[in-house]
Amino acid sequence: MVLLFLRFLFRKLRFFGSSCLSHKPEGEYHEKQSDECKIKTRLQKSLDSIKDSLGNSCDVKTHTFKFGPEKRFSGAIVFIDGLVSSSTITESILRPIVSWQPIYKLGFSEDELADLVSGELLCAGEVTKVSLLSELTLGCLSGDTAILLDGCPFGLVVSTKGWEKRNVTEPQAETVVRGPREGFTENLRTNTALVRRKLKSENLRVENLIVGRNTQTDICIMYLDGIADPKVIETVKYRISGLDVDSILESGYIEEYIEDAPFSPFATVGYTEKPDVVAARLLEGRVGIVVDGTPIVLTVPMLFIENFQTTEDYYTRPLYASLVRILRFIGYLITVFLPAIYIALINFHQELIPTTLLFTIANAREGTPFPALLEMMIMIFAFEILREAGIRLPRPVGQAISIVGALVMGDAAVSAGLVGAPILITVAITSVAGFLVPAQNDSASLLRLIMMLLASFAGWYGVSMGFLAVLLYIGSLDSFGTSYFDGFAWSTNLQDSIVRMPLWSMVRRPKDIARNNLVRRRFFIPPLRPHSHDDNDDSEREG
Amino acid sequence: MRVDKGLITGNQFMFSIICFIQSSSLLTSFLTSVTLQDSWLIVIFGAIFFIPVIFIYREIMLLFPDKNLIQILDEVYGPILGKVFGIIYIWFFLSLTSLNVLDLGDFTKLTIMHETPSVVLMIMCVLVASIAVRHGIGLVTKYSTFFSVTVSCLLIISVLLLLNQIKLENFLPILSLPFKKYVQGTHLITTIPFGELLVFLMIHPSVKLNRKQATKYLFWGFGLGTVSILVVLCQNIAVLGNMLDMFALPTLVTLRLINLGEALSRMEVLFSVILIMLLFFKISVLYYVSVLAVSQMFNTNQLRYLSLAAGALIVCYALTLYPSPVEHAESAKNITPFVWTPIEFLIPLLTLILGKFKKRKQLKEA
């Protein structure tokens, strides 16, 4: 009901929003760009207009120099201090140009000078010839160096990116016992390279988009050509390139703008911090969205089942992996339903509790003043406070918080007669079980509250109805044209849903994601048995 | 114009039929109170008598592969008579929905929520079902597999756990009741659980079946559903014996008897959850079909807006149908089968014959 109301509100707001948005000075912005912004032939004029557009910021450095035979040409480089590597500028731009001694007769116009410089003098990997001042400034702003030559209506943008960046480290949020420990960093190129190192396939495509009027954020869309569904790729490109936003600071911004169900408690866009996860998802036909400036990479389409799959499921042996996965499902059910079931039992169905336990619970509840729902709410609220406080605290203070949480909130609350011990146990199990599926923690805490309310006024029946409603709601969600709940469909996907079958038995990709190219391998190949050594098993393997 | 969209697979269709029959299998008191320990025989008789009816339904599905029942009636009987029959069927669908909502309300009130007014329970159920209706038939049938597999697993487990309480002499004496009772029982089982499969004539255009598939899915669905009714009935008879007709919910009582070394007991909670799920499934399919029939009749595709209005109607109708559960049970035994007979068997048969003639005529003209 709350969701319906929100959706209603959202529709109305969207209406107002769109009427407001249409007044944006978008036209002016574009006009200013195309109007008189070509690079001038006079060097000083161009430099002045660049300085003008960057507003004389102190980190913009320009350097004018003379070069060529008898120092008769003059040029200038423009760059932003801190974004460039100064050694690259010295070694591959300034030194070759300034020390240039032509050995043949000079018979070229000043127009051709730019081609000569870029083709014969510069020792850089990436040089672009541009004719607009705005391109030149954008290049400078993203860490490149601009070269301007007197008398030439073109500028050169040389790639000299060299800012301080974080090394590849183990991600804090997704730690593993077995498996690669590297995580993405804030640098876009490092991230795409990390994925490419996993997938040395010629079909890996990386496409670039730039979004954000002020941030001009680079966004890379990665997919495996031939496996990913072209429709999904189209949709992703359409939704991202259609964005008219001020800023993209993190991939969360993109997620919010492109997701299918903005008011759903369930996220319909997946995210991860690990290159091996992205590689595995690309191999199943998903599309990755890498955003500059954040180590979080998005993947679409996302299925509900993805919340319960971790990389380690595939790195450990299938039996144990299946057991752990079932545990995760149970953990999720517990974290959503246990408080509700407790309330339902206490309030409505006391006859279902074994008699001895009933006496214990009644004993514990005798001294407490509040109804079960309120007690449960208080404890869950306290736990959420502790958790939120624990996340953002400086490390050394964290210990104090856990002591306060464990002793004061727990033991003291019981001995003071504020809450009963059974409630405390329920809340503890609930919250610990929630950590089995960290990706769904937000949806779980919301659903838990709704279920508790339902249980408190309609008992077991309310919980059942709530369960059915959630089931129907999840079933109705879509993620980029794929049904969100289809991981459990009666199809080949069952090999990798509630249990994980051995890797050699998964001959097909997930049916709903890689629609056009389902076959991973032609044959079902069980591992070779040791006793087949005396047979001609090598020839079989070749065949 | 077909007003619904979306496709469902053949498997989902089959499991929906299974779920549909299973949901009545857990509420069998209407049958066991008539034919007592011979009820299992009645199920077999009923299934045999129902096979020709399935053939009628299949032929209608194949004759009009892309039309639902309301459109078929329109085409076969012409616009005026077709609309009259259409209204009869809309009433039929709505009352089936209301009856099931009433069943759910009564059952829940009787077993787990003694003090809650049943109108609250009904409204909750209809509200949740309206989510399903608004998203179309594909959403509900998606879960049919899940529901029917869960129910089957629990049935098998309960039979295994009750093995120590099964007394085969409870089946005796066989065939000792008056002949009239057998006729009444067979009529009951063909009209009430089986005949309601008529609603699948409303959603078959979403499945797209050819002759072979239609036969396969209809008969497998019907067969497996019948087997689960049979299992439940046999279990109840074998465990309860001549106490069978004392209870309104014999299956619940049977499951209550499960007690395995203090560890496994109170299985009836699971039963209630399953029954709620199954009845919910049935209600949402019936609810969807009634809304679909209404919107088909008036040629609008505003299913979403009709759904809440229809839900309100269903709850009100359910509340005013019978003054008490006793009268409900009596009418289910003695009146309902006769009202349902023309709607479930005679009109479809007539429609099939007339439809065949019409199609043949069209072929000749063309």
Side-chain angles (χ1 to χ4, degrees):
Chain A
M1 284 299 105
V2 178
L3 290 173
L4 278 178
F5 176 69
L6 273 177
R7 197 178 291 169
F8 171 76
L9 205 67
F10 177 62
R11 255 184 222 151
K12 297 293 159 217
L13 281 176
R14 191 162 52 182
F15 181 70
F16 284 119
S18 59
S19 56
C20 295
L21 277 175
S22 58
H23 296 303
K24 269 197 177 158
E26 205 178 309
E28 281 172 40
Y29 182 75
H30 282 297
E31 261 170 44
K32 201 177 154 193
Q33 250 187 356
S34 61
D35 178 49
E36 280 298 309
C37 58
K38 289 232 157 47
I39 293 171
K40 320 285 187 302
T41 25
R42 287 277 306 283
L43 178 64
Q44 200 50 49
K45 248 184 161 173
S46 301
L47 278 181
D48 284 346
S49 49
I50 288 179
K51 275 196 177 158
D52 204 33
S53 67
L54 292 177
N56 271 328
S57 300
C58 62
D59 54 348
V60 180
K61 306 286 180 202
T62 54
H63 170 63
T64 334
F65 53 85
K66 288 196 177 305
F67 66 105
E70 298 137 25
K71 302 286 173 203
R72 70 177 201 198
F73 304 119
S74 59
I77 57 172
V78 184
F79 60 88
I80 292 185
D81 200 18
L83 292 183
V84 296
S85 103
S86 45
S87 67
T88 320
I89 294 184
T90 332
E91 289 302 318
S92 57
I93 301 178
L94 284 181
R95 193 188 296 274
I97 294 182
V98 174
S99 62
W100 175 48
Q101 288 298 334
I103 44 172
Y104 46 85
K105 203 170 178 309
L106 290 164
F108 51 85
S109 68
E110 280 163 330
D111 272 6
E112 287 162 1
L113 190 63
D115 291 327
L116 181 101
V117 170
S118 76
E120 294 182 20
L121 301 184
L122 293 178
C123 313
E126 193 188 326
V127 183
T128 341
K129 192 170 153 185
V130 298
S131 61
L132 289 179
L133 271 176
S134 59
E135 291 175 88
L136 214 66
T137 38
L138 182 61
C140 288
L141 289 172
S142 36
D144 296 340
T145 302
I147 305 179
L148 288 163
L149 300 164
D150 197 20
C152 173
F154 296 105
L156 299 171
V157 175
V158 189
S159 169
T160 52
K161 292 187 180 74
W163 54 80
E164 293 299 319
K165 51 193 171 194
R166 196 164 62 94
N167 289 330
V168 175
T169 50
E170 184 172 4
Q172 298 275 316
E174 292 170 69
T175 47
V176 289
V177 177
R178 179 169 177 177
R181 296 210 189 337
E182 60 192 359
F184 287 122
T185 69
E186 280 76 11
N187 190 16
L188 180 76
R189 272 295 149 255
T190 318
N191 293 352
T192 52
L194 280 171
V195 177
R196 223 182 237 289
R197 261 180 41 209
K198 304 260 175 211
L199 297 172
K200 297 185 191 73
S201 159
E202 56 193 11
N203 291 331
L204 180 64
R205 302 278 182 274
V206 184
E207 292 184 20
N208 201 48
L209 291 172
I210 294 177
V211 183
R213 240 183 280 139
N214 281 339
T215 53
Q216 295 288 329
T217 313
D218 286 295
I219 290 169
C220 280
I221 296 173
M222 302 186 88
Y223 57 91
L224 278 170
D225 197 25
I227 296 178
D229 187 0
K231 266 189 205 153
V232 175
I233 302 170
E234 258 331 287
T235 320
V236 172
K237 276 191 216 160
Y238 172 76
R239 289 189 189 172
I240 293 182
S241 59
L243 289 182
D244 177 33
V245 289
D246 189 43
S247 60
I248 299 290
L249 292 180
E250 212 267 344
S251 50
Y253 282 45
I254 294 280
E255 180 182 345
E256 240 178 79
Y257 281 113
I258 65 172
E259 69 188 338
D260 287 74
F263 288 119
S264 158
F266 299 95
T268 48
V269 175
Y271 68 88
T272 179
E273 227 179 309
K274 288 168 65 62
D276 52 331
V277 178
V278 171
R281 290 187 182 166
L282 294 189
L283 282 168
E284 286 187 339
R286 290 188 177 86
V287 177
I289 303 167
V290 193
V291 179
D292 193 22
T294 174
I296 309 289
V297 173
L298 307 177
T299 52
V300 290
M302 193 215 191
L303 304 184
F304 184 61
I305 186 86
E306 269 174 57
N307 298 310
F308 301 91
Q309 297 167 329
T310 64
T311 47
E312 271 180 293
D313 287 355
Y314 304 93
Y315 304 152
T316 47
R317 296 176 59 249
L319 257 159
Y320 179 67
S322 306
L323 178 73
V324 174
R325 195 173 281 177
I326 291 171
L327 206 64
R328 257 178 240 133
F329 280 108
I330 296 173
Y332 186 64
L333 288 180
I334 284 179
T335 195
V336 175
F337 289 107
L338 188 69
I341 290 175
Y342 179 82
I343 292 174
L345 287 180
I346 289 295
N347 282 355
F348 293 92
H349 318 294
Q350 297 89 347
E351 76 276 8
L352 296 177
I353 310 173
T355 321
T356 25
L357 182 60
L358 186 63
F359 282 134
T360 321
I361 293 177
N363 230 348
R365 284 187 52 76
E366 203 179 25
T368 58
F370 304 119
L373 175 72
L374 194 59
E375 271 183 51
M376 192 68 90
M377 287 275 192
I378 291 173
M379 281 326 285
I380 284 182
F381 192 59
F383 173 75
E384 296 284 336
I385 289 175
L386 278 179
R387 192 173 64 120
E388 191 56 29
I391 293 173
R392 269 164 255 293
L393 267 182
R395 281 282 139 76
V397 195
Q399 295 235 324
I401 282 292
S402 56
I403 291 169
V404 170
L407 298 183
V408 179
M409 297 273 200
D411 199 40
V414 174
S415 47
L418 214 57
V419 293
I423 294 262
L424 207 63
I425 296 168
T426 317
V427 172
I429 295 174
T430 305
S431 42
V432 173
F435 290 119
L436 286 183
V437 191
Q440 279 300 337
N441 235 331
D442 41 354
S443 79
S445 31
L446 197 71
L447 292 181
R448 191 187 297 146
L449 284 181
I450 296 174
M451 292 301 157
M452 274 159 57
L453 288 176
L454 279 175
S456 69
F457 87 89
W460 199 226
Y461 181 79
V463 178
S464 315
M465 279 298 147
F467 175 68
L468 286 169
V470 171
L471 218 55
L472 289 174
Y473 180 70
I474 299 180
S476 72
L477 286 178
D478 256 2
S479 171
F480 288 81
T482 306
S483 183
Y484 186 57
F485 205 51
D486 265 5
F488 302 97
W490 198 254
S491 64
T492 48
N493 295 355
L494 279 184
Q495 284 167 342
D496 188 16
S497 58
I498 296 173
V499 294
R500 180 185 69 84
M501 300 295 275
L503 287 177
W504 44 264
S505 72
M506 296 187 203
V507 289
R508 282 166 183 276
R509 302 196 174 89
K511 198 172 148 196
D512 311 288
I513 299 172
R515 287 198 189 83
N516 308 317
N517 189 350
L518 283 181
V519 183
R520 254 190 202 130
R521 267 192 316 276
R522 196 67 58 74
F523 301 111
F524 183 91
I525 314 170
L528 294 169
R529 297 277 182 276
H531 66 73
S532 62
H533 261 302
D534 39 44
D535 304 344
N536 46 356
D537 70 344
D538 279 358
S539 63
E540 269 178 31
R541 207 186 300 188
E542 295 295 320
Chain B
M1 185 188 83
R2 247 183 72 204
V3 296
D4 58 331
K5 289 187 199 71
L7 282 175
I8 57 179
T9 64
N11 263 324
Q12 285 171 348
F13 185 67
M14 181 180 82
F15 279 110
S16 309
I17 295 177
I18 298 177
C19 267
F20 219 74
I21 301 180
Q22 272 176 340
S23 66
S24 346
S25 79
L26 298 173
L27 292 170
T28 47
S29 58
F30 68 94
L31 180 65
T32 48
S33 60
V34 177
T35 52
L36 304 177
Q37 78 276 13
D38 281 341
S39 303
W40 62 280
L41 269 174
I42 295 297
V43 172
I44 298 175
F45 291 155
I48 294 169
F49 278 110
F50 196 67
I51 285 174
V53 184
I54 289 205
F55 273 109
I56 296 176
Y57 292 168
R58 190 196 68 170
E59 287 305 313
I60 295 178
M61 282 182 189
L62 295 172
L63 204 59
F64 303 96
D66 48 2
K67 289 208 160 89
N68 58 36
L69 188 61
I70 300 290
Q71 286 169 300
I72 296 173
L73 291 171
D74 248 12
E75 184 167 328
V76 173
Y77 298 103
I80 295 169
L81 201 56
K83 287 272 186 295
V84 172
F85 280 133
I87 288 170
I88 293 177
Y89 275 103
I90 288 174
W91 169 76
F92 172 67
F93 295 143
L94 276 174
S95 22
L96 268 188
T97 321
S98 300
L99 281 171
N100 279 290
V101 170
L102 185 62
D103 271 343
L104 182 67
D106 280 350
F107 158 76
T108 316
K109 200 168 161 51
L110 201 64
T111 53
I112 48 178
M113 308 294 298
H114 308 287
E115 280 159 45
T116 315
S118 62
V119 57
V120 177
L121 307 172
M122 289 179 194
I123 287 178
M124 272 178 82
C125 170
V126 168
L127 270 181
V128 177
S130 76
I131 301 178
V133 175
R134 289 163 75 95
H135 286 99
I137 190 69
L139 182 55
V140 206
T141 49
K142 199 181 265 179
Y143 293 109
S144 56
T145 322
F146 170 66
F147 288 156
S148 66
V149 169
T150 320
V151 172
S152 310
C153 289
L154 277 158
L155 268 186
I156 294 169
I157 293 173
S158 71
V159 170
L160 288 179
L161 291 177
L162 279 169
L163 274 180
N164 58 343
Q165 309 195 25
I166 283 178
K167 296 190 196 70
L168 285 180
E169 61 268 25
N170 279 343
F171 284 103
L172 297 175
I174 294 176
L175 290 176
S176 66
L177 296 171
F179 182 68
K180 221 176 110 191
K181 290 271 178 196
Y182 293 100
V183 177
Q184 190 192 357
T186 315
H187 190 199
L188 261 177
I189 193 121
T190 43
T191 45
I192 290 182
F194 294 158
E196 287 169 7
L197 293 185
L198 178 86
V199 299
F200 287 94
L201 284 182
M202 280 301 288
I203 53 180
H204 79 271
S206 319
V207 198
K208 301 255 180 281
L209 298 170
N210 58 29
R211 176 170 287 268
K212 212 173 150 189
Q213 285 169 328
T215 320
K216 180 177 145 198
Y217 291 129
L218 273 174
F219 278 95
W220 270 107
F222 175 64
L224 290 175
T226 313
V227 167
S228 45
I229 284 201
L230 207 58
V231 170
V232 173
L233 268 179
C234 288
Q235 174 192 313
N236 290 354
I237 296 168
V239 173
L240 292 180
N242 55 6
M243 296 190 296
L244 193 62
D245 59 337
M246 286 167 55
F247 304 109
L249 291 164
T251 319
L252 187 79
V253 180
T254 316
L255 289 173
R256 196 171 276 165
L257 290 176
I258 292 180
N259 197 347
L260 203 74
E262 297 281 314
L264 263 175
S265 55
R266 298 184 176 81
M267 286 278 283
E268 74 268 18
V269 188
L270 281 179
F271 167 78
S272 63
V273 171
I274 290 166
L275 189 58
I276 289 172
M277 276 205 228
L278 280 178
L279 273 177
F280 174 79
F281 179 82
K282 197 170 176 185
I283 287 168
S284 31
V285 172
L286 286 168
Y287 185 4
Y288 176 77
V289 164
S290 351
V291 175
L292 177 64
V294 173
S295 55
Q296 186 71 63
M297 181 73 116
F298 296 104
N299 245 341
T300 73
N301 48 10
Q302 308 289 334
L303 261 79
R304 308 171 61 104
Y305 301 102
L306 275 174
S307 65
L308 279 180
L313 191 63
I314 285 166
V315 173
C316 296
Y317 193 22
L319 285 173
T320 49
L321 262 173
Y322 296 113
S324 73
V326 182
E327 271 151 295
H328 180 187
E330 271 307 304
S331 120
K333 248 187 279 179
N334 298 324
I335 301 165
T336 324
F338 294 100
V339 183
W340 280 184
T341 306
I343 296 175
E344 285 170 352
F345 311 134
L346 301 183
I347 298 180
L349 183 63
L350 193 65
T351 312
L352 177 63
I353 295 169
L354 288 178
K356 280 263 183 200
F357 275 119
K358 273 228 158 131
K359 283 265 160 166
R360 193 161 295 168
K361 216 167 150 191
Q362 278 173 5
L363 274 179
K364 265 184 193 162
E365 278 168 12

